[in-house]
Amino acid sequence: MRKFKQLISVFLCAALCLSAFAISAQAKTKKKAIKKYVTSISVAKKATITIPANKMTAVKSYKVTVKVKNQASKAFTAKSSKTSVATVKVSGSTVKVTAKKAGKATITVTTKAKNSKSKKLSKKLTLTVKKKKVIVPASLVDVAEPTELKISAYLDGEKNMSSHIPILDFIIDADPNAAYYGESADPGVAAMTHRKTELSAVSEGTTTVDVFEQTSAATRKLGTITVVVKPMTMAEAASDAIMYYTGGDDFHEVKLKANFGKSSYDFDKIIKKILIGNEEVGSKFAEGDFTVTYSSFNDKIAAVSDDGIISAVKNGMTYVYGNLKFTDNSEEIADSTVNVTGLAIEKVEGYTLDNIRNYIVGIDTPIELADETQQPLINFDNAATTPAFKAVQDAINEELEMYGSIGRGYSQKSNHSTDVYNNVRDKVLEFF
């Protein structure tokens, strides 16, 4: 009987242990089953906000979707990569974006809770902010005085820069999608040319021109301008001819390169080329219509003779003037920048066996020999590799600052180097 009681006690003890183990396992299983975590977060990939022309900012909200397990938190944070462009604020399940100025920013939304791998999840929205421009209707400039155009018997009207003006020059805030044109009250005085987009002088007198704006929706009159056509002086016609020829400058820069045989320039020749019967610029002057008096601002750098020949005197830069006096007593000054280079190079009247070594680069430069002594090199290879003369070295040093690609570029340095190269070829050709 006693053994039976002991056996019952053992069974009861075992049952209690199994029961406790089962309860513990059940508790652990239950604890693992209620783990909370996020599975995803999503927001629009791209978005654009346009700020109205009359507003400083614009606000727009974007839905943020957070998916979770076991009722995990759906809360998230938001951050802007460029707060000067846009700022953000979380509002419930949306991110509220305030656009401040035109530009781009990246909006990043991130979950507060973690996923099953204990990491927070993020998504990015690429935001573009645009600012609408204030559209101001086109209008005419406020012209207090009549618009003045000029004509001349000495200059072709088509190439006379003072005889025509684009109609767009009279318009403020022109619409790029609109067409603008004019209607002249007297085409015999001033006519509309180039499909009515340019006002051109025809003869002396006064007229008015109505200016219109034409869009796909309608045509409206912007206003009326008064035009007066007057005769040009001969000097004014000459000035326009010179500007047409040079593209706006009085004259191109004159470069006197003494080391390449160019130490003078015929200024008189170029002036007469422009003014006397030049169809390219439309000039119609004759030989007896004007006289020219020449002068140099600094004749110690470049001198100019009475007949307009500019001569290099010293390296440097100066100006040469041609004072044109016309038969109608009007005057015009043509001026040109003159750059003198190459005069610093030593000129040698003649090379002899006695002085030749003085003018060769590196001829006395010592060379280390096998016994570690140094002696000037005796060059037996002159026919294939002739040492350079010091004059050549000086010329190269002088040109290095303006060195550019030869024959294959359009920069000032490239054009300059190409000219130097061609001048040297010409001199070699002359020699042979």
Side-chain angles (χ1 to χ4, degrees):
M1 187 68 179
R2 185 176 179 184
K3 287 183 179 182
F4 178 74
K5 289 182 178 180
Q6 288 177 345
L7 184 62
I8 291 299
S9 298
V10 170
F11 276 116
L12 287 173
C13 183
L16 287 171
C17 288
L18 288 172
S19 177
F21 177 77
I23 292 171
S24 176
Q26 186 178 7
K28 286 182 179 180
T29 302
K30 186 176 181 180
K31 184 177 181 181
K32 183 177 181 181
I34 62 171
K35 183 177 180 180
K36 300 177 181 181
Y37 57 94
V38 295
T39 59
S40 67
I41 183 171
S42 61
V43 68
K45 291 183 178 181
K46 294 182 180 180
T48 300
I49 298 178
T50 301
I51 303 173
N54 60 341
K55 300 286 185 179
M56 297 297 293
T57 61
V59 180
K60 196 170 183 180
S61 295
Y62 298 94
K63 176 73 174 177
V64 178
T65 302
V66 180
K67 293 183 179 181
V68 301
K69 285 288 186 179
N70 301 323
Q71 297 182 335
S73 172
K74 293 185 177 182
F76 62 90
T77 59
K79 184 179 180 181
S80 170
S81 65
K82 193 174 288 187
T83 55
S84 60
V85 173
T87 56
V88 294
K89 183 180 180 181
V90 175
S91 177
S93 61
T94 63
V95 56
K96 185 178 179 181
V97 180
T98 302
K100 299 169 71 177
K101 72 172 187 178
K104 289 191 174 184
T106 300
I107 310 301
T108 304
V109 291
T110 305
T111 60
K112 288 187 176 181
K114 297 178 181 179
N115 66 0
S116 59
K117 296 181 180 180
S118 299
K119 291 183 179 180
K120 293 182 179 181
L121 302 180
S122 296
K123 285 292 181 182
K124 293 182 178 181
L125 182 156
T126 301
L127 178 70
T128 301
V129 178
K130 298 180 179 180
K131 173 73 175 178
K132 270 194 175 180
K133 294 182 179 179
V134 177
I135 300 175
V136 179
S139 60
L140 285 184
V141 296
D142 185 12
V143 182
E145 300 293 330
T147 297
E148 189 176 280
L149 298 179
K150 292 191 173 183
I151 56 174
S152 172
Y154 297 94
L155 196 59
D156 184 356
E158 184 66 26
K159 297 173 181 177
N160 180 351
M161 298 169 69
S162 300
S163 71
H164 50 84
I165 183 170
I167 207 72
L168 277 173
D169 284 6
F170 298 100
I171 299 171
I172 301 173
D173 300 316
D175 182 351
N177 298 315
Y180 296 91
Y181 66 93
E183 294 282 359
S184 174
D186 188 351
V189 173
M192 297 306 305
T193 58
H194 299 283
R195 296 185 178 181
K196 298 184 178 183
T197 63
E198 188 167 272
L199 180 60
S200 300
V202 178
S203 64
E204 292 182 50
T206 301
T207 186
T208 57
V209 174
D210 293 333
V211 181
F212 297 89
E213 178 188 63
Q214 185 178 32
T215 65
S216 57
T219 297
R220 70 185 181 101
K221 180 179 175 180
L222 299 182
T224 303
I225 56 177
T226 301
V227 182
V228 177
V229 179
K230 295 182 178 180
M232 301 177 80
T233 65
M234 295 173 76
E236 289 174 332
S239 177
D240 266 21
I242 291 171
M243 291 186 70
Y244 188 94
Y245 182 84
T246 61
D249 299 323
D250 282 337
F251 278 95
H252 294 299
E253 179 184 12
V254 174
K255 295 179 180 179
L256 299 182
K257 304 179 74 61
N259 52 314
F260 291 109
K262 187 179 179 182
S263 57
S264 63
Y265 180 81
D266 194 338
F267 195 28
D268 186 75
K269 182 179 179 180
I270 190 66
I271 289 177
K272 290 178 179 177
K273 176 185 176 182
I274 295 171
L275 298 182
I276 298 176
N278 189 323
E279 293 183 2
E280 180 186 349
V281 300
S283 59
K284 302 175 182 179
F285 291 94
E287 186 81 35
D289 288 333
F290 62 92
T291 58
V292 190
T293 304
Y294 296 98
S295 61
S296 172
F297 180 77
N298 187 344
D299 56 14
K300 292 182 180 180
I301 292 176
V304 60
S305 64
D306 291 341
D307 55 356
I309 303 299
I310 303 172
S311 300
V313 178
K314 178 184 176 182
N315 286 348
M317 187 274 288
T318 189
Y319 301 95
V320 170
Y321 306 99
N323 185 20
L324 288 81
K325 188 169 184 179
F326 296 87
T327 53
D328 66 350
N329 292 322
S330 62
E331 295 185 17
E332 171 68 12
I333 294 178
D335 63 289
S336 182
T337 304
V338 180
N339 264 306
V340 179
T341 59
L343 291 178
I345 298 172
E346 183 178 2
K347 294 181 179 179
V348 181
E349 296 301 328
Y351 295 108
T352 67
L353 289 176
D354 294 328
N355 69 15
I356 191 69
R357 295 183 64 87
N358 299 329
Y359 302 107
I360 298 177
V361 178
I363 195 168
D364 291 320
T365 301
I367 302 299
E368 186 173 323
L369 305 180
D371 61 0
E372 297 184 353
T373 62
Q374 293 191 344
Q375 293 292 334
L377 180 70
I378 300 175
N379 189 8
F380 290 107
D381 197 24
N382 280 293
T385 311
T386 306
F389 281 93
K390 289 182 179 178
V392 175
Q393 182 184 43
D394 291 341
I396 290 174
N397 288 338
E398 184 166 321
E399 296 297 338
L400 279 177
E401 290 187 2
M402 285 295 290
Y403 176 70
S405 57
I406 295 172
R408 58 182 179 85
Y410 295 96
S411 68
Q412 289 180 320
K413 287 188 174 183
S414 178
N415 291 336
H416 173 80
S417 297
T418 301
D419 289 342
V420 171
Y421 175 78
N422 289 331
N423 285 336
V424 171
R425 287 171 59 91
D426 291 341
K427 289 187 73 68
V428 173
L429 181 61
E430 289 172 11
F431 178 80
F432 288 102

